Amino acid sequence: MHINELISGAIDQVYAGVERLYKDIHQHPELPFEEFETSRKLAEQLRQAGYEVTTGVGKTGVVGLLRNGEGPCVMLRGDMDALPIREQTGLDYASCKQTEAGIPVMHACGHDLHASCLAGAAAVLHALREHWQGTLMIVHQPAEEIFGGAQAMLADGLYERFARPDVILGQHNMPALSGMVGHLAGQTMSAATTLGVTIHGNGGHGSMPAQTVDPVVIAAHAVVRLQTIVSREVEPSEQVIVTVGKLQAGTQGNVIPHSAELEINVRSFSDEVHDQVIAAIKRIIDAECQAGRSPRPAEYRVLTETITMNNDAATVARLRQAHGDFFGAGQLFEMKRLGGSEDFPYFGNAAAGGFGGEDIPYAYWFIGAATPENWQTTTGDRAAERMLQLPMPHSPYYAPDRQPSLITGMAAMVTGALAFFER
Ligand SMILES: [Zn+2]
Ligand SMILES: [Zn+2]
């Protein structure tokens, strides 16, 4: 029998269980680093599939190992955390979960899909283990949404305790037509930093501004001048975003507050430019504080941070071939660079990921999750443009086309891994 038929047959075998797992995880979403039940379910599934399983890696991460003879080590990574969003999809397996603090939780980014596809792919690759040789490392990563899980797993000795991969593969769903698979070599997602800033003033009565230092005025000047970083300081050929998403000070009109808080989001596609922009932000805020007689220097905190995703070109070429052989070349599309970000690239970047030796090649592709009905409402020639017209991940209405998305995600992982093993 041809390998494609074996893969399709094995996916059919595991499908019902994977769909059950998906609905269960969707209905019971958990926030970053709180994925205790989710990781328990995923660990149980891996054990049943025949893997050596370790839980609690990087707090709630799960690692499954299948040592299957001489050959390369392939790491397949999926994420599993959810978002603080109230689900509005109307699905019969919609989340009705709230945290103890009353925060609604929803799998609005489809990490339930990724986790279920990875669980299914693990079972299929175990069933087909006579057809490949090497070591398969399954990594269910926590806390992608806050860019914490990848580094937490690496800091917990992922490569030292288990295996050091030769190649790392990951995927994300997108509202392209379900059944489609999109690739892009090189820079694919941006580096991102969210900075928290405290500007200090000297509060007092609103009728006596001369006896105070007003942090509202300092913050207002800073916000306006920060807009000149992209327009006046960065090379126009660079794609950079500086957004002040939060500006908070004071309680009422007749009180001059003691301090002002900013949160600033920076996105770029080059480490050098990223450092340049962060330095410019600090220079401008420090100078505005001085100009406004601030009694002490502003304080800066990195709230979240991740690096640029740079997909290895040779790895992407091999994946395109493998995915084309399985799905048909007509199902593939050329992805476009996204302003969004991921912590997945830490797994391949030795310096940023804090592991020794060389960088490890990685690639990350996109699977379609839009229903044919929704897809028909979009216009344009390129799938990567059309998908931007539909609700994106993080929308309370985001609902992947279940069956075709699960099957595509499993098959993309299985055929992707097989492309790098000894056959
Ligand atoms: Zn997300
Ligand atoms: Zn996501």
Side-chain angles (χ1 to χ4, degrees), residues 176-189:
L177 178 62
S178 59
M180 294 185 82
V181 183
H183 305 89
L184 185 64
Q187 292 180 345
T188 301
M189 298 180 91

Side-chain angles (χ1 to χ4, degrees), residues 79 109 111 114 144-145 172 342 394:
D79 42 18
C109 205
H111 297 184
H114 307 160
E144 187 281 328
E145 294 291 355
H172 206 291
E342 250 284 359
H394 293 207

Side-chain angles (χ1 to χ4, degrees), residues 194-197 243-248 261-265 301 303:
T194 300
L195 271 186
V197 185
T243 295
V244 181
K246 180 175 165 187
L247 165 56
Q248 220 164 44
E261 298 288 333
L262 304 183
E263 281 186 25
I264 306 169
N265 187 244
R301 301 170 300 282
L303 301 177

